[in-house]
Amino acid sequence: MIEVKNLYKSFGEGDKKIVVLENFHARFERGKTTSIIGGSGSGKSTILKLLIGAYKADAGEILIDGEDVTQLDNERMNEVRKKFGVMFQSGALFNSLTVEENVALPLREHTQLNDSTIRIIVKMKLEMVGLRGAEHLKPAQLSGGMIKRIALARAIALDPKIVFYDEPSAGLDPISIGVIDELIMSLSRKMAITSIVVTHELPSAMRISDKIIMLFKGKIIANGSPEELKNSDDPRVIQFIKGDPDGPIPFSKSQVDYGEELKQMNI
Amino acid sequence: MRHLFGYIGEKGYRSRSAALDFFREISGLYYLTRATLYCTFIEPLRGKPNKWGPVWIQMEEVGVKSTGIVFLISFLIGVILAFNSAYQMSRMGALDYVGALVGVTVLKELGPLMTALVIAGRVGASFTAEMGTMKVSDEILALETMALNPVKFLITPRFLALLIMLPCLTLMADFMGILGGYVVGVTTLGIDSAPYIQHSLEKMKVIDVVTGLIKSGVFAVIIVMVGSYLAFIIEGGAEKVGENTRSSVVISMVLIIIANLLFTALFYFIT
Ligand SMILES: Nc1ncnc2c1ncn2[C@@H]1O[C@H](COP(=O)(O)OP(=O)(O)OP(=O)(O)O)[C@@H](O)[C@H]1O
Ligand SMILES: [Mg+2]
C-alpha cells in the first residue's frame, strides 16, 4: 500500500517558481486500481515521478509499505524500486535494444534465471500485450501504440507488486485501449497488483478504477469511486466529465488577465 | 551615471553567476567522474562484476572503427613533419636527423595528442548525442526506476572501452606517424634508409612511448567524462542534445590541450 501525505512540489526558483503540486494526499490500496485524472499540465506526471523517486518532494511523506521513501538514500531506494514497474508516457524503451532485449533487461539484471527461461518469460509477457512475434524489431520500427504495449510488457516483466502507468491509453485505437484496460484490471485482480494509473481518458478511468482522484492545478478537487464522481455536484468535476469548454476550469493556463496583458505590451 | 553603475552592477552580477555556473559544472563533472571510477573499479571488488559484453561492443565502436581515420591522419602528420624538418635540417647539414626529429615529436607529443583530438571529435560527440537522446526520451529515468545504475550501465562500458582503446590507437598512430616520416624521408628527401633508421632508434626512447600512453589514458578519461556529463545534464528537448554535443567536442578538445600542456611542462621540469 502507498500512502501520500502533505506532498508539495514546485519547479524553478525566485519569480519563475511555479507550484505544481499542493498538499496532495492519497491512499493507494493494495490490489486496487487508483486513477489520477486531470487536465493537461495539472501535475499528474509529476506525482508519478515523485512516487517513483525521480523527483525530490519539497515537503511531505510518501509511505510505501510503511517506509517513508522521501528519506531513503539511493541504495535503499533501489531496493524499493524492485517492487515497481513503471510504464512511461513516452514508453522510454531503449532504442539500441530489440523488443526482446528491452523486456528481458530487468530479468537479466535482477534475477539469476538462465537465458532460455528468460526468453520464455519474455514471450509470455509479449503474448499478454498481444505482440508476440515482434521480438526482433527495434523500437524505431514500432508504431506509437506498439511502443506503449511493449513498455507495459517491460513494466510487468519482474511481476512487480506495484505498477505505475502514465497515460497507458493515450494515442491508442479503441480496441487497444480495451485490451490495455482489460490487462490492467486482470493484473490487479489476479495478482493483487496495486495499480496507479495517470490518465486523462475519463471513460477508461471510469471503467478500470476502484478509486479516482481528480486534480486541478495541483490540488485535489475530487476523490472517490467512479460512481461517486458521476454523482458529484462539484461544478469543476461536472465540467471535466462533460468536457465543457466553459466552466470553472479555464482552458487558458495564464495567470494574468488577457486584456491586461495585451495593454501592457508596448509595441 | 545611474545607468553606468547599473550596467556595471548588471555585468558584475552576470559574471558572478557565470562563475558560479562554471564551478557548479566543475563540481558536477568531478562527482560524475568519482561515481564512474567507483562503479568501474571499486564495485567489481565488492561482488558486482563488470559485464564485458557491452565493453566489447563499445571497443569495436570507439576503437576498431576509428582506426582508419587515425591511421590516415597520423601518417599524414608524419609526412608533414618530415617535410618541415627537412627544410630546417638541411640548412644545418643534418638531414640524416630528420628521422630522429619526426620520431621523437610523434612519440612524445603529436601521436597521443592528434589521436585524442580525432577521437574527441568522433567518439566524444557520439557519446553525448547517444546518451543525451536517452536522457530526453526518459530512457535514463527508466533505467533508474528499474533499479539499474545509469553510470554503471552506460558510462562504465564506454569508460573501459576508451581507456583500453585510446592507448592502443595511440600506439598505432605513433607507428604510422614514424612510417610516414620514413617513407617521405627515403623516397622524396633522398635520405639513406640505414642512417635514417639508426638515428631514429638512437633518439627514440621507450620512456617516451610510456609517457605518451599515460597521457592518452588521461585524455580518454577527459573524453568520456566530458561527453557523458554533458549528456546527463540535458533537460528538455532535441535542440539541447545538439547544443551539448557541440560543447562536448569543444570542451574536451580544450581540456585535452590543457592537460597536454601540463604534462609537457611537468616532463620539462623533472627531466
Ligand atoms: N522538470 C520540470 N521543470 C519545470 N517545470 C516542470 C517540469 N516538469 C513539469 N513541469 C511543469 O509542471 C506542470 C505539470 O506537469 P505534468 O507533466 O505533471 O503535467 P501532466 O498533468 O502530466 O500533463 P499531461 O496530461 O499533458 O501529461 C506543468 O505546468 C509543467 O510545465
Ligand atoms: Mg503527463
Side-chain angles (χ1 to χ4, degrees), chain B residues 98-155:
Chain B
V98 166
L101 211 148
V102 170
V104 171
T105 318
V106 165
L107 286 189
K108 271 191 163 171
E109 297 291 343
L110 288 181
L113 187 62
M114 292 309 292
T115 313
L117 291 180
V118 169
I119 296 298
R122 193 186 171 280
V123 171
S126 78
F127 282 176
T128 310
E130 215 178 319
M131 289 189 274
T133 312
M134 296 186 72
K135 171 82 199 226
V136 297
S137 61
D138 276 345
E139 286 176 45
I140 292 184
L141 181 60
L143 276 179
E144 278 171 355
T145 55
M146 286 184 203
L148 300 174
N149 184 352
V151 172
K152 182 150 185 99
F153 208 79
L154 297 174
I155 304 183

Side-chain angles (χ1 to χ4, degrees), chain B residues 196-209:
Chain B
Y196 188 101
I197 294 175
Q198 189 205 341
H199 287 306
S200 297
L201 290 181
E202 262 168 26
K203 292 290 177 208
M204 293 191 296
K205 299 197 196 73
V206 175
I207 183 80
D208 294 337
V209 181

Side-chain angles (χ1 to χ4, degrees), chain A residues 49 52 54 78 81-82 84 86 88 90 92-95 105-106 108-110 154, chain B residues 38 48 51 130 133-134 137-149 153:
Chain A
K49 288 187 175 164
I52 61 179
N78 274 345
R81 280 174 177 152
K82 287 181 190 165
F84 290 179
V86 186
F88 287 94
S90 60
L93 297 180
F94 301 111
N95 275 305
L105 185 72
R108 292 231 163 86
E109 296 295 327
H110 291 313
R154 186 179 68 181
Chain B
Y38 179 81
K48 284 191 200 161
K51 295 208 163 148
E130 215 178 319
T133 312
M134 296 186 72
S137 61
D138 276 345
E139 286 176 45
I140 292 184
L141 181 60
L143 276 179
E144 278 171 355
T145 55
M146 286 184 203
L148 300 174
N149 184 352
F153 208 79

